[in-house]
Amino acid sequence: MLLNLQPTSSVSIQYHPFFGPHDDLVLLELDEKLLSDVLYQRVTLRGQPDEDAVLCTKSKTYSVKFVGTSNSVFLIPPADYSTSHESGGENYNQQVPTASVIKVAPGNMELVEVAPRLDKLKSILSENLYSSDEASTAMGDLYKWDDLINKVQASDDELKAGLQALSAVEIDGYWRIVDEKYMDVILRMLLHNSVLNDWSLDSLVEDKVVSVLESDGFPRKLVYHCLNVYGSRVEEAMDGGVWRLDARRVCVHFARGILREGKRKMESFMEEWLRMIPEEIQPSFDMLEGEVLTEKLGVETWVRALSVSSFPTTPADRFSILFKERAKWEWKDLEPYIRDLNVPGLSSEALLLKYTRRSQPSIDAEPVFSAR
């Protein structure tokens, strides 16, 4: 589009002295809502050399794809063509201004909103877990925030949400996942002290908890992290406020610990699980939705670990793994493992249509899903 070119007016075109392919000049088609972010340089391109680039705003991620066009699009350096002459009229024979074409664009780049690519985040942070004996930890790469935004294809807000979902914590400037066994030790000590000191798990005074666990040898940063992972702050105060442990998170933690060594008979699992749960918490097997699967083997019911947090975030990979676990799924079992899938523009129903086949033996029967 030529700025200042009046309707019904025209310009002649010619090759610019520097006409050529100019691969560094690319047309980008933008939605109106993205225009200000691009004009004010509030966007970044992210990706490694072996990855397809994505464009990120503060809160969203977009794939960048080339779309070819059948019409020729001329790129013309800025100039003022407001004095160009109207077609026809008594001055028609006067010289018409000439525009110099520096490139013919074969198409443009198109942006499509996509889910953040967070599987890599879990992979790189899991390489070097933070343990109780950090000095003996096998050395590996550590990542600061700037390292993560250069490696992970996600917006800043999506990356922060991904770190929170992984229960990652910033220690000495580096983002780390704390080893589950170390988290188990801290949580058990917190629960032990709650009994000794008559603390209510619904109103844990932050300063008291931190002070006592620090005296037991746990780093202050890790005590706060334990409160964040297994609870939530319910009251702000100058002395740090009050925390409440989340019943489901605590119950899931102990269930994972029991099943880490393999599947268990339901009766054996429930007996040990209930014994480990603090008296103040009322456990329910429904709390383990999306964390365990049950299966009938003869007359016995067995329980095994299958955490949704261990699955990839891409729908194709997620459904592939699910149908390797089971050829057929009832909806009540399948739903907890797909409800977190985030594909802009696609609902859960659309994902089911794309990746599964639904069958229903009878009108009253529950629908069953298998691989498409």
Side-chain angles (χ1 to χ4, degrees), residues 245-262:
L245 287 193
D246 184 279
R248 181 181 184 276
R249 294 182 217 170
V250 173
C251 290
V252 166
H253 170 83
F254 287 115
R256 286 177 176 174
I258 296 170
L259 297 175
R260 195 171 290 129
E261 302 302 321

Side-chain angles (χ1 to χ4, degrees), residues 141-334:
D141 291 331
L142 298 179
Y143 302 94
K144 295 185 176 182
W145 173 259
D146 287 345
D147 299 322
L148 294 178
I149 62 176
N150 286 328
K151 284 186 170 291
V152 181
Q153 294 183 301
S155 69
D156 287 3
D157 287 354
E158 291 166 332
L159 184 55
K160 290 174 184 175
L163 288 167
Q164 184 175 1
L166 291 173
S167 298
V169 59
E170 191 176 16
I171 301 174
D172 298 329
Y174 296 97
W175 284 94
R176 311 290 300 275
I177 295 177
V178 182
D179 184 81
E180 283 191 8
K181 293 180 181 178
Y182 190 22
M183 291 299 296
D184 181 66
V185 173
I186 302 173
L187 177 61
R188 286 174 184 269
M189 188 58 70
L190 189 157
L191 296 173
H192 176 69
N193 278 298
S194 71
V195 175
L196 291 181
N197 297 289
D198 198 26
W199 296 339
S200 169
L201 300 183
D202 287 331
S203 56
L204 295 168
V205 178
E206 182 177 302
D207 278 2
K208 291 182 180 179
V209 173
V210 173
S211 176
V212 170
L213 290 185
E214 267 195 303
S215 68
D216 287 330
F218 297 103
R220 188 179 188 87
K221 186 81 173 183
L222 271 297
V223 178
Y224 279 113
H225 183 55
C226 181
L227 288 171
N228 267 304
V229 170
Y230 299 111
S232 56
R233 185 183 275 115
V234 293
E235 184 180 322
E236 298 281 355
M238 293 296 292
D239 60 356
V242 177
W243 293 73
R244 173 187 295 129
L245 287 193
D246 184 279
R248 181 181 184 276
R249 294 182 217 170
V250 173
C251 290
V252 166
H253 170 83
F254 287 115
R256 286 177 176 174
I258 296 170
L259 297 175
R260 195 171 290 129
E261 302 302 321
K263 63 183 180 181
R264 298 279 292 270
K265 290 182 180 180
M266 176 66 86
E267 294 79 5
S268 171
F269 167 77
M270 290 299 294
E271 181 181 347
E272 184 173 352
W273 187 51
L274 295 174
R275 188 171 65 248
M276 299 173 76
I277 303 301
E279 289 185 3
E280 279 189 60
I281 294 177
Q282 299 300 315
S284 164
F285 193 76
D286 291 339
M287 291 178 171
L288 304 183
E289 187 181 68
E291 293 291 335
V292 303
L293 276 184
T294 59
E295 54 188 0
K296 277 277 192 181
L297 295 175
V299 296
E300 300 283 358
T301 299
W302 291 74
V303 185
R304 63 187 177 95
L306 188 67
S307 176
V308 66
S309 63
S310 67
F311 285 179
T313 58
T314 52
D317 293 336
R318 175 78 63 90
F319 279 102
S320 175
I321 292 176
L322 284 170
F323 288 120
K324 285 177 183 177
E325 289 286 343
R326 281 184 180 178
K328 296 182 178 181
W329 288 77
E330 293 184 0
W331 174 243
K332 63 179 177 61
D333 294 328
L334 179 63

Side-chain angles (χ1 to χ4, degrees), residues 12-33:
S12 296
I13 60 173
Q14 64 181 12
Y15 287 115
H16 192 281
F18 298 112
F19 178 85
H22 294 288
D23 293 334
D24 57 329
L25 295 177
V26 180
L27 289 178
L28 177 64
E29 182 179 354
L30 288 175
D31 188 281
E32 190 72 28
K33 62 185 178 182

